[in-house]
Amino acid sequence: MKRFIAITRKVTLDYERQPYRRCGRSGLLLPAVSLGLWHNFGEGKPVESQRAILHKALDLGITHFDLADRYGPPIGAAEAAFGRIFPASLRDEVVVTTKGSNPMWDGPYGKGNSRKHLLATLDRSLARLGLDHVDIFYLHRDDEDTPLEEQAATLDHMVRTGRVLYAGVSNFSPERTAEIARLLRGLGTPLLVHQPPYSLLNRGIEDRLLGVLEAEGAGCVVYSPLAQGLLTDRYLDGIPADSRAAEGRFLTADRVTPEVLAFVRALAGIAAGRGQTVAQLALAWALRDPRVTSVLVGASSPEQLEANVAAVDNLAFTDDELAAIDRAAKEAGVTG
């Protein structure tokens, strides 16, 4: 099913381009590949480039846009850019998320998970976004200086006052995730989703967190499924001069070890046999577990976004392929 929406040009919202997955035991469906607006939506990025990426996202069936109060640069710029570009007429067609907890302004109330800070930072996010509510509000990280009961009660208050539809957490331990899920359930506002890092180079959530989320009926939207670009074709021949690793931007050169490069080269061979790039294989691999609702990808161009979404064209893995991936990781000494 396709819908044509007039913005500044004809935009196709194609619900058939990729599968939608139910988020835990909720009624909310999310696309398998979603767009994160961390790196490429802020000052210094051409507005037309940002608009083209958002339009392409709709063309590709991406209806889930992930932000945070701190995304930029400078902080807050990503939300402001989204608010300027995305028209109100599409509000009911998309899921818009944001996060709080981050240091946002000076003084004792400018960070953390106190009720004081979270309600203030949500109001500022809504103003930048030009919205009266977001679909999901995440606690971006745990705050052990604030009682978990206060954190849960604040999420519940946000939902009950209509500024947030669903409550989520990010970067919480399995134990603290289970505890805040219990608290929220008691308040009548279930935990919808957790957002952790997950990739072929970071498999930590497999040990316990995914089991907790399954037991609690919460979804899982993962970030950094491409390990800040390491799990792409860019590093097959070393570190490109214009790469994040070369610039030390979110990825440092010391992470691009010979062992990691050996693993990525092995993945390239497996990907070629599947008719995929390394990035497409990595995204499909992260989605192989039905407990993973969606993977978040960034995009510096419409073409890059289109290439990433093409991962959904081959999501099935044979036992031999999965065994080969695990064997390559072991041989390269990559423990994940």
Side-chain angles (χ1 to χ4, degrees), residues 32 34-39 64 66 71 99 138-141 169-172 193-203 205 209 220-229 231 244 255 282-283 285-286 292-298:
S34 301
L35 181 61
L37 282 73
W38 178 18
H39 296 315
H64 173 208
D66 182 78
Y71 289 175
K99 311 175 190 73
Y138 291 92
L139 301 181
H140 209 160
R141 56 186 52 82
V169 298
S170 180
N171 301 307
F172 272 54
V193 63
H194 190 296
Q195 188 178 128
Y198 184 50
S199 74
L200 280 159
L201 292 171
N202 183 358
R203 300 177 64 164
I205 68 172
L209 182 60
C220 183
V221 172
V222 303
Y223 70 87
S224 291
L226 301 180
Q228 296 296 332
L231 294 169
R244 290 181 188 173
R255 289 183 57 193
L283 295 173
W285 179 89
V292 173
T293 312
S294 183
V295 294
L296 287 171
V297 299

Side-chain angles (χ1 to χ4, degrees), residues 247-262:
E247 298 172 1
R249 183 168 48 94
F250 309 115
L251 175 66
T252 54
D254 62 335
R255 289 183 57 193
V256 191
T257 64
E259 293 78 14
V260 167
L261 291 179

Side-chain angles (χ1 to χ4, degrees), residues 166-193:
Y166 296 99
V169 298
S170 180
N171 301 307
F172 272 54
S173 70
E175 297 78 11
R176 296 278 281 185
T177 299
E179 179 62 13
I180 198 168
R182 182 188 67 79
L183 292 168
L184 285 167
R185 185 167 56 250
L187 293 168
T189 298
L191 177 68
L192 174 80
V193 63

Side-chain angles (χ1 to χ4, degrees), residues 37 41 67-72 76-84 97-99 104 121-122 124-130 134:
L37 282 73
F41 287 79
L67 299 114
D69 53 4
R70 195 171 174 82
Y71 289 175
E79 290 178 329
F82 186 87
R84 287 192 300 269
T97 79
T98 196
K99 311 175 190 73
M104 292 297 292
T121 201
L122 171 60
R124 294 183 184 207
S125 287
L126 292 175
R128 286 189 291 266
L129 291 165
V134 290

Side-chain angles (χ1 to χ4, degrees), residues 8-326:
T8 56
R9 65 171 178 85
K10 185 176 286 186
V11 176
T12 310
L13 182 50
D14 187 352
Y15 294 113
E16 296 178 354
R17 176 62 189 92
Q18 58 171 313
Y20 288 74
R21 295 181 168 195
R22 191 166 302 281
C23 193
R25 289 198 291 266
S26 77
L28 185 67
L29 298 174
L30 296 177
V33 178
S34 301
L35 181 61
L37 282 73
W38 178 18
H39 296 315
N40 298 298
F41 287 79
E43 293 182 6
K45 300 292 183 180
V47 173
E48 287 307 314
S49 172
Q50 296 175 20
R51 181 178 288 112
I53 292 170
L54 289 178
H55 285 184
K56 176 56 71 173
L58 294 170
D59 291 345
L60 297 169
I62 293 178
T63 55
H64 173 208
F65 299 91
D66 182 78
L67 299 114
D69 53 4
R70 195 171 174 82
Y71 289 175
I75 59 175
E79 290 178 329
F82 186 87
R84 287 192 300 269
I85 295 170
F86 218 81
S89 60
L90 288 183
R91 183 64 186 94
D92 294 337
E93 307 288 343
V94 298
V95 172
V96 180
T97 79
T98 196
K99 311 175 190 73
S101 299
N102 304 295
M104 292 297 292
W105 59 89
D106 294 336
Y109 315 119
K111 63 182 178 180
N113 291 356
S114 70
R115 186 183 184 96
K116 171 75 171 173
H117 172 69
L118 290 176
L119 293 179
T121 201
L122 171 60
D123 285 345
R124 294 183 184 207
S125 287
L126 292 175
R128 286 189 291 266
L129 291 165
L131 301 176
D132 62 3
H133 73 279
V134 290
D135 297 283
I136 304 171
F137 184 88
Y138 291 92
L139 301 181
H140 209 160
R141 56 186 52 82
D142 196 0
D143 174 8
E144 294 190 359
D145 292 329
T146 300
L148 209 54
E149 291 82 359
E150 181 176 345
Q151 298 183 53
T154 303
L155 287 172
D156 175 67
H157 175 78
M158 290 174 174
V159 172
R160 292 185 184 278
T161 55
R163 288 177 286 176
V164 170
L165 298 188
Y166 296 99
V169 298
S170 180
N171 301 307
F172 272 54
S173 70
E175 297 78 11
R176 296 278 281 185
T177 299
E179 179 62 13
I180 198 168
R182 182 188 67 79
L183 292 168
L184 285 167
R185 185 167 56 250
L187 293 168
T189 298
L191 177 68
L192 174 80
V193 63
H194 190 296
Q195 188 178 128
Y198 184 50
S199 74
L200 280 159
L201 292 171
N202 183 358
R203 300 177 64 164
I205 68 172
E206 294 175 356
D207 291 338
R208 295 189 57 201
L209 182 60
L210 284 175
V212 168
L213 297 180
E214 184 176 26
E216 297 294 343
C220 183
V221 172
V222 303
Y223 70 87
S224 291
L226 301 180
Q228 296 296 332
L230 266 176
L231 294 169
T232 69
D233 297 334
R234 292 209 73 197
Y235 294 90
L236 292 176
D237 298 317
I239 302 176
D242 61 346
S243 66
R244 290 181 188 173
E247 298 172 1
R249 183 168 48 94
F250 309 115
L251 175 66
T252 54
D254 62 335
R255 289 183 57 193
V256 191
T257 64
E259 293 78 14
V260 167
L261 291 179
F263 180 49
V264 175
R265 290 176 186 129
L267 292 177
I270 299 169
R274 291 169 51 84
Q276 292 181 316
T277 64
V278 173
Q280 289 163 352
L281 178 145
L283 295 173
W285 179 89
L287 288 164
R288 81 200 187 288
D289 192 318
R291 295 172 295 183
V292 173
T293 312
S294 183
V295 294
L296 287 171
V297 299
S300 58
S301 68
E303 293 76 19
Q304 183 186 44
L305 186 59
E306 187 167 23
N308 284 336
V309 170
V312 305
D313 295 335
N314 187 6
L315 293 176
F317 286 86
T318 67
D319 291 342
D320 287 345
E321 287 172 333
L322 292 174
I325 290 169
D326 289 342

